[in-house]
Amino acid sequence: MRHLLVDLDAPLMSFGGDVVDANGVVRDFPAKSMIAGLFANALGWERFDIDRHADLQSRLTIGAARVAEGQRMQDFQTAKLEVNDRGWTTRGRVEGRAGGGDTYKSPHIRFRDMDADARVLVACRVAPPDPDDSAPHLDALAHALARPERPLFIGRKPFVPSRPLLLGIVEAETIPAALSAGLALLDGAARRDRVRAQWPYAELTGATRAQAEAAGAQEDALTDERHWPSGVHAGLRRVVHGQLDWPAEATA
């Protein structure tokens, strides 16, 4: 099967996780919805193209490897809103403020995590669309990354990539095999014996399962697929957190 390799390398990046109160934590690997949104942005889609977003997300199969761990950092943000403040919404209309006088006496406080100097390799494949469907195929996604319709970012708009996102397309039987092939193609990466990785649970079979269990791999269930009409995340995606050996033939 053909897999598309995405090289996420930036001074700062953020893979958003569950927000608890004022704490915006991040995950070690990108959510499936984030990768779908990255492709959608490269294709020039709008937020209201919910059916196309949902279709692309449903056809994607992804995995990722933590090439460079980087350093976890936290951003402290404050914003003080007044009663007369106005703002545009994603629905295209102006929204005002409401509430009593005491509502505006204190600033809104939020903590947001991010990773500095990290590098993450993503491998994905996409199920072919129906013959009469105009939905993008793998080559169209690769072209969009190479020549995006809009500027791309990794998690938050200020977090721009430091190199082209498109690493290439490889033939592989599974996501872990595609990630291993991608490690051998990386330029400027500090070689290590093993890297932490995440891949679909459905591809943990046979010898791969025995090897992964011997290396301490663990199963997890993620809520990282977006329900595009409502704008919230729902469902469960079963994945494996394990380690991959760095290919001996890697030249990086």
Side-chain angles (χ1 to χ4, degrees):
M1 294 181 286
R2 301 172 75 231
H3 292 77
L4 176 61
L5 300 174
V6 184
D7 187 4
L8 302 180
D9 187 9
L12 293 172
M13 66 178 67
S14 173
F15 304 140
D18 299 325
V19 177
V20 181
D21 296 327
N23 295 300
V25 300
V26 296
R27 294 171 170 154
D28 292 337
F29 302 99
K32 187 177 180 182
S33 61
M34 176 189 157
I35 299 302
L38 179 69
F39 285 131
N41 194 31
L43 290 163
W45 294 355
E46 302 291 345
R47 285 178 176 266
F48 53 76
D49 294 323
I50 56 176
D51 291 337
R52 290 201 288 184
H53 281 78
D55 174 71
L56 177 58
Q57 178 180 259
S58 68
R59 295 191 295 118
L60 275 176
T61 302
I62 70 168
R66 194 91 178 179
V67 178
E69 291 291 348
Q71 182 179 358
R72 187 66 45 90
M73 302 178 68
Q74 190 174 79
D75 192 15
F76 174 66
Q77 300 179 349
T78 65
K80 194 171 188 300
L81 303 175
E82 303 294 345
V83 65
N84 293 321
D85 288 341
R86 300 289 186 270
W88 287 97
T89 67
T90 57
R91 296 173 292 280
R93 58 176 181 265
V94 177
E95 185 176 73
R97 310 298 302 173
D102 291 340
T103 306
Y104 307 99
K105 289 183 178 179
S106 300
H108 291 266
I109 294 176
R110 183 163 63 172
F111 299 89
R112 301 189 72 178
D113 291 347
M114 69 198 83
D115 287 329
D117 298 325
R119 189 174 184 182
V120 175
L121 173 67
V122 177
C124 59
R125 62 177 183 265
V126 58
D130 295 331
D132 57 347
D133 197 342
S134 61
H137 46 76
L138 196 72
D139 292 318
L141 297 181
H143 178 76
L145 286 186
R147 301 182 64 86
E149 291 291 330
R150 287 194 291 263
L152 303 180
F153 52 90
I154 307 177
R156 288 161 59 181
K157 289 183 179 179
F159 298 167
V160 295
S162 57
R163 67 177 69 231
L165 296 182
L166 177 62
L167 182 61
I169 294 177
V170 297
E171 294 276 354
E173 291 295 326
T174 63
I175 290 289
L179 289 171
S180 295
L183 290 174
L185 299 176
L186 289 175
D187 178 37
R191 187 180 174 1
R192 292 182 288 152
D193 291 336
R194 286 184 171 182
V195 296
R196 293 192 300 124
Q198 174 186 287
W199 62 88
Y201 180 84
E203 299 192 3
L204 188 66
T205 58
T208 305
R209 178 186 297 274
Q211 183 182 19
E213 290 177 349
Q218 296 182 342
E219 178 188 351
D220 195 6
L222 304 177
T223 306
D224 70 345
E225 295 183 342
R226 188 179 183 91
H227 182 254
W228 296 97
S230 64
V232 300
H233 285 76
L236 290 177
R237 184 171 70 95
R238 297 177 71 194
V239 299
V240 172
H241 292 283
Q243 296 189 29
L244 295 176
D245 294 331
W246 199 296
E249 65 273 15
T251 58

